[in-house]
Amino acid sequence: MIVDAHNHIGRRKGLVFTVEELLQRMDKGGVDRCVVFSHSEAINNDYVAEAVKKHPDRLIGFAVVNPWEERAEEELKRCINGLRFEGLWLHPVRHGYLLDDHDLLDPLFAICSGARIPVIAHGTSHVPCIPNHFEEMALTFPDVILIIAHMGYMYETNSAISVAARNANVYLEMSGVFVRQVKQALREVGAKKVLLGTNTPEGDFEFEISKIKSSTSDAEEMSLILGQNMLRILGRGK
């Protein structure tokens, strides 16, 4: 089963990407299931919830919150308890905070810890979300699985891989990085810590899957990266 860990649906200024368009791309790319969340710039958790309700066999909903919002914690609880979402997406660059800001982020991570759901966050060479910030939060909340989206793209990939190697609860999502960096991750942290991610609508399923096939010929490794790791994180697999 192919499960993609990083996809946005809905509207934001200058872009409309519907769930129907996502499903068409999934069918074309041979993707079975997708983790989906709204655009960080225009949060609409209800649209994602409606999409998941219509297509529960294809979509897995994650919440998006802006930690600066007064009701951020209440919204996350609503998404988990009411909308039945299974994870949280954070974008420190879009919302203007550092991922290791404990005063701002600890309340959200504590909710995720209590609900036993993972956090995936934009993790690039931008200062607000460098891999060291992920490590700080991973050490503070060792029972929260933390996924570095984009694996430190572009100049922090070595650091992202090192952080994942040092911390059992840190995983690497590979959208945007080069094949050689995926191969490096497989060497240094192993296939069990790497996740297929596409970042639709910007990315392309077939291209990201081809990177995995170019990085390993081992069928077990390929199966882990293509979906088994994400299912395990969500409590749906071994």
Side-chain angles (χ1 to χ4, degrees), residues 66-69 73 96-98 101-108:
N66 179 349
W68 288 115
E69 295 290 340
E73 292 79 20
Y97 59 88
L98 300 178
D101 184 334
H102 288 289
D103 289 340
L104 192 63
L105 274 298
D106 280 9
L108 295 175

Side-chain angles (χ1 to χ4, degrees), residues 2-5 173-174 194-198 208-209 212 225-226:
I2 298 179
V3 183
D4 193 288
E173 181 269 294
M174 48 169 279
V194 181
L195 307 173
L196 168 67
T198 297
E208 294 298 336
I209 291 170
I212 297 171
I225 303 167
L226 286 173

Side-chain angles (χ1 to χ4, degrees), residues 68-81:
W68 288 115
E69 295 290 340
E70 290 285 350
R71 297 181 60 82
E73 292 79 20
E74 288 80 0
E75 174 64 7
L76 178 56
K77 290 177 182 177
R78 182 183 78 92
C79 288
I80 296 169
N81 300 321

Side-chain angles (χ1 to χ4, degrees), residues 8-10 16-26 36 47-48 50-52 54-55 58-59:
H8 302 269
I9 57 174
V16 178
F17 186 64
T18 66
V19 63
E20 290 77 18
E21 290 174 295
L22 174 64
L23 290 167
Q24 289 175 4
R25 288 201 196 181
M26 290 171 65
V36 291
Y47 177 76
V48 174
E50 290 174 13
V52 173
K54 289 180 181 177
H55 307 281
R58 305 296 303 277
L59 305 178

Side-chain angles (χ1 to χ4, degrees), residues 103-168:
D103 289 340
L104 192 63
L105 274 298
D106 280 9
L108 295 175
F109 272 73
I111 293 169
C112 292
S113 175
R116 303 188 68 82
I117 63 171
V119 176
I120 178 172
H122 184 81
T124 61
S125 53
H126 294 98
V127 171
C129 56
I130 56 174
N132 285 352
H133 296 334
F134 282 81
E135 183 160 39
E136 172 65 21
M137 299 307 291
L139 291 170
T140 305
F141 293 91
D143 57 343
V144 174
I145 290 177
L146 189 51
I147 302 167
I148 305 178
H150 310 300
M151 208 168 92
Y153 175 90
M154 287 288 295
Y155 310 115
E156 291 282 349
T157 52
N158 288 339
S159 179
I161 291 168
S162 296
V163 168
R166 289 193 297 268
N167 297 275

Side-chain angles (χ1 to χ4, degrees), residues 175-187:
S175 59
V177 300
F178 298 132
V179 168
R180 63 177 175 79
Q181 293 163 329
V182 178
K183 289 181 178 180
Q184 179 186 351
L186 294 181
R187 288 194 308 271

